[in-house]
Structures are given as structure tokens and as C-alpha cells.
Amino acid sequence: MPNRFQLLLSFSIFFFFIQCKQKENTTIFDSNLNTVKYAKGFSIVNYEGYSIVKVSNPWPNANKTYTYILKERKGKLPDSLKKHSIISVPIQSIVVTSTTHIPSLEMLNEEKTLVGFPHLDYISSPKVRNLIDAGKVKELGTNQTLNTEVLIDMQPDIIIGYGIDNTNPTLDNLQKSGLKVMLNGDWNEETPLGKAEWIKFFGALYGKQKQADELFTKIEKEYLKTIEIAKRATTKPTILIGDMFEDKWYLPKGTSWGCLLLKEANSNYLWQETKGTGSLALSFETVFEKAKNADFWITSGQFSTLKQMTDANPHYNQFKAFENKNVYSFSAKKGKTGGILYYELAPNRPDIVLKDIVKILHPELLTGYQPFFFEKLQ
């Protein structure tokens, strides 16, 4: 995953079965169909006694597919598969390296299997924070320089890593030491439902593919239902995103996952015609010229009040959205060590994010609903 600043510029600027039967806590399948529907970065194909998980897009423009064999206790593998990384499932202990992995563990009721994480302060989840306070989750440093000595001593069943490019010597060294490592590319998905579908990746590790599929199906259903509700809107408000950081205004390009959420909410993001999933870096003057009359403004999350905004830049009050107090932020909900819940949970729950946006832009369509992530700045 990118560092916290990179998240601010991309992810946080705003804008992410097959029937089976259970036996002795393992899942037996007899199918050769990919169970993944929206995500582009991984696939799961199930066979009797084992599953094949392929991760094809763990970072932008990756040119290699990583194949993992998830073997059940009594499963028998063809010789042709034994050259790949073989992981015994269901796993009993796990290390993850991004806060976006945490909600999947919780949704599957497997947060107690978490034994290590880099930068523990970033975690917002109350359940996991209680485990941290009890000494059950160890600090592992940073993603790019994980504490290999601690990991080798811990011997977790699996380490879930990610990369921002093809270079990650720490993960390579851990594998050379005999530890099992899987790459996760949830952050690189371009659609909200694609990001959320990575819960199936974790479900496969715990022998809970049916449960993961049911959880995702509920999210998908609510997301699609909210899209249909948004279509009833009689207005299409204009949206400004982000704010200034070190003399540049960072805002997402028009085909990023956050911008897709804005589109699905029946709004007009003012830079929606731009291509790409990264960020634009513009001058204040350029943004002001185009967005001074925008109806709504969703900030990057670095401000908690309107006063904080004008303290940082007195020209913010020249925007119509600021004058009308239609400025929103997702940074209000934080863990007790300062981690912002949105960074952690939003990729797993695009249905909630979309409902929040629809409620903000078209409040008459969701009577009685209170936004979960977003709040209006006072």
C-alpha cells in the first residue's frame, strides 16, 4: 500500500458461490469456475480438496501472475501444481500489512487470528485495538522494512503483503526463510465492488468461501439498490474534491474508483472527463476558475472545521460551497490512536460510502438515513 501521504493523494482524496458443504471446518468444492465477479486483480478456482488463487495485478502495470495453491488437510494435489506456493487451509494465524485487510478479518469473525501488523497506530477497529492492547498483535515496523526477526520467531501461517512496484526485498527474504507470503492487490482495483470483492480472497484462506460470498452479495445488493435510488434524483449537483497541499491542489482523475462513486450517486464531478486513476496536481487558480460555483465540496480529510480550512488558506471562503457550508469530510471517525476509519473500512463497504454520498447530494431520496463516514464541516 502507499504510505499515508500517498493515500491522501489517491485513496483518501476521495474521491473500496458456488454451493459448498462444510466438513470438519474445511470446504469441499467440485467446480472449475472462477468465483470472482468484479475484481480484476485475482481469481479463485475451486477443486475437490484445494483451490487455486491467482493474483494478476498486485500493483499498477504488473506483468506477472502469482499462483497460490490453498490445500485442505486431506486434499491431494496433481504433480503439476506442486511447483507453486502451497498454503495449508484453513489458516490459524495471519499477518496483514494494510488496514484495508482488517475489515475482511472482522467480517469473517477471524480478527483473533491476526498476530502482527506494521504501524499498529494506523488501525482504527475497536475489536483489533483491544487485541493490540492485550498484547496479542505485534508491531512489525513498516511494510517495506518488516521486522523479519520477529516474523521468523512468530511463524504465522500466512503473511499478506502488497507492493507498489516489482521490488519488495523484505517479502522476498521472508519467503527465502520459509515463511508463506501472498500478495494482495485490493488497493489497485478500479471499481468499488472490485475492491470489496477481495473479502473472497480472505474467505478462501479460512475455509469460509460461502460466508465471504454471502457477505459480498449483501454489499453488492445494497450498492446496486442505492444506484437505482440515485437515478430518481431531479438534480445533478456539481462536485469539487480535495484541497491544497504544499502549493498544489490534489484531486482524483475522472476514472478513479472514488469518481465512479460520485457518478453512481448522480452528480457531476467537475474533472470527470480526465482519464486515469491517479491524482491531478493543479494550481489554486486553475481549480478556482472551474469550481468556484460548485454545489458541494468534499475535502481530502485533513480539516475538521471550516475555520481550520480558512486558517490554512483564507481564499477557501471564496468558493460557493464554502459560503453555503456545503463542505464535507470523512475524517471524523477515528480510532483511539488517530487512525481514520474511512481509510480502513471504506474499500470493503462501498455500499455505505455510496449511501452517504446520495444522502448528502439528494437528501430527499434516503429519508431517515444518517451518513456513516461523512459529516458536514461546521
Side-chain angles (χ1 to χ4, degrees):
M1 259 316 205
N3 60 33
R4 182 164 272 188
F5 173 63
Q6 289 171 313
L7 285 171
L8 180 68
L9 302 189
S10 55
F11 177 35
S12 73
I13 264 181
F14 181 79
F15 356 77
F16 66 14
F17 244 55
I18 291 176
Q19 292 182 343
C20 61
K21 60 180 181 178
Q22 300 290 335
K23 181 179 180 181
E24 298 178 356
N25 200 34
T26 64
T27 308
I28 297 177
F29 296 86
D30 188 11
S31 173
N32 59 358
L33 298 176
N34 177 24
T35 62
V36 178
K37 185 176 179 181
Y38 295 92
K40 302 300 183 183
F42 81 110
S43 64
I44 302 173
V45 179
N46 299 303
Y47 300 89
E48 185 172 349
Y50 66 92
S51 300
I52 301 176
V53 176
K54 292 187 177 183
V55 177
S56 57
N57 201 28
W59 53 78
N61 303 313
N63 56 12
K64 177 182 177 181
T65 296
Y66 296 82
T67 301
Y68 308 100
I69 311 301
L70 309 187
K71 178 183 174 298
E72 297 172 9
R73 185 165 58 90
K74 296 182 179 180
K76 295 183 179 180
L77 300 180
D79 290 341
S80 60
L81 297 180
K82 293 179 180 179
K83 63 182 178 181
H84 300 295
S85 179
I86 300 171
I87 297 148
S88 297
V89 295
I91 61 167
Q92 303 298 318
S93 61
I94 191 170
V95 165
V96 300
T97 52
S98 168
T99 55
T100 60
H101 304 159
I102 300 293
S104 291
L105 303 187
E106 282 199 22
M107 292 165 70
L108 293 166
N109 297 312
E110 294 290 353
E111 69 274 3
K112 291 183 179 179
T113 65
L114 180 66
V115 294
F117 186 86
H119 281 314
L120 291 175
D121 285 352
Y122 287 176
I123 296 177
S124 301
S125 159
K127 287 184 179 180
V128 178
R129 291 238 58 91
N130 288 337
L131 294 171
I132 293 169
D133 293 342
K136 295 181 179 180
V137 184
K138 293 187 177 181
E139 173 64 63
L140 298 176
T142 67
N143 182 58
Q144 300 301 315
T145 57
L146 294 171
N147 191 321
T148 55
E149 292 183 2
V150 172
L151 282 165
I152 291 172
D153 183 60
M154 290 168 59
Q155 291 291 307
D157 289 343
I158 192 68
I159 300 167
I160 307 299
Y162 64 82
I164 57 175
D165 54 33
N166 196 33
T167 303
N168 198 321
T170 299
L171 294 179
D172 293 341
N173 289 335
L174 289 170
Q175 291 185 89
K176 290 176 183 177
S177 300
L179 295 176
K180 300 292 185 180
V181 175
M182 293 181 73
L183 291 174
N184 179 297
D186 60 357
W187 71 277
N188 201 32
E189 293 289 340
E190 297 180 2
T191 65
L193 289 177
K195 286 180 180 290
E197 197 169 18
W198 279 80
I199 191 174
K200 297 179 182 180
F201 174 94
F202 290 97
L205 291 172
Y206 290 102
K208 292 185 174 182
Q209 288 199 51
K210 182 179 180 181
Q211 183 177 340
D213 184 60
E214 290 172 350
L215 288 165
F216 176 74
T217 298
K218 289 179 181 178
I219 292 169
E220 176 192 28
K221 181 179 178 180
E222 286 301 309
Y223 185 87
L224 297 177
K225 177 183 175 182
T226 305
I227 290 176
E228 293 305 309
I229 291 173
K231 290 179 180 178
R232 304 174 195 162
T234 57
T235 61
K236 198 168 187 176
T238 50
I239 308 295
L240 167 64
I241 303 294
D243 37 54
M244 297 292 290
F245 189 92
E246 295 182 349
D247 299 323
K248 290 292 183 182
W249 194 302
Y250 292 95
L251 62 169
K253 293 180 180 179
T255 51
S256 64
W257 76 282
C259 295
L260 180 56
L261 281 161
L262 292 174
K263 180 179 179 181
E264 305 285 32
N266 205 349
S267 71
N268 176 19
Y269 171 50
L270 290 171
W271 277 266
Q272 64 185 6
E273 78 284 356
T274 59
K275 304 297 182 182
T277 59
S279 299
L280 299 168
L282 305 177
S283 68
F284 179 92
E285 292 75 18
T286 299
V287 173
F288 183 73
E289 181 180 0
K290 189 168 187 174
K292 61 184 176 181
N293 290 318
D295 297 310
F296 291 88
W297 183 353
I298 299 175
T299 71
S300 68
Q302 62 176 315
F303 302 115
S304 300
T305 66
L306 295 175
K307 184 179 184 303
Q308 286 181 4
M309 293 183 69
T310 52
D311 286 346
N313 189 324
H315 300 296
Y316 285 151
N317 64 13
Q318 298 175 34
F319 288 87
K320 173 186 170 183
F322 189 99
E323 292 176 357
N324 294 338
K325 296 184 178 180
N326 280 330
V327 183
Y328 289 81
S329 173
F330 54 77
S331 64
K333 283 188 169 65
K334 296 181 180 179
K336 63 182 180 181
T337 54
I340 296 176
L341 183 62
Y342 180 88
Y343 296 153
E344 188 170 303
L345 183 57
N348 279 65
R349 297 303 307 268
D351 56 324
I352 298 177
V353 180
L354 184 59
K355 282 184 180 180
D356 280 10
I357 300 170
V358 172
K359 180 63 177 180
I360 290 168
L361 304 182
H362 312 290
E364 72 283 357
L365 297 180
L366 290 174
T367 305
Y369 178 77
Q370 293 297 320
F372 179 79
F373 290 113
F374 291 87
E375 69 172 20
K376 181 183 285 190
L377 297 190
Q378 302 298 323

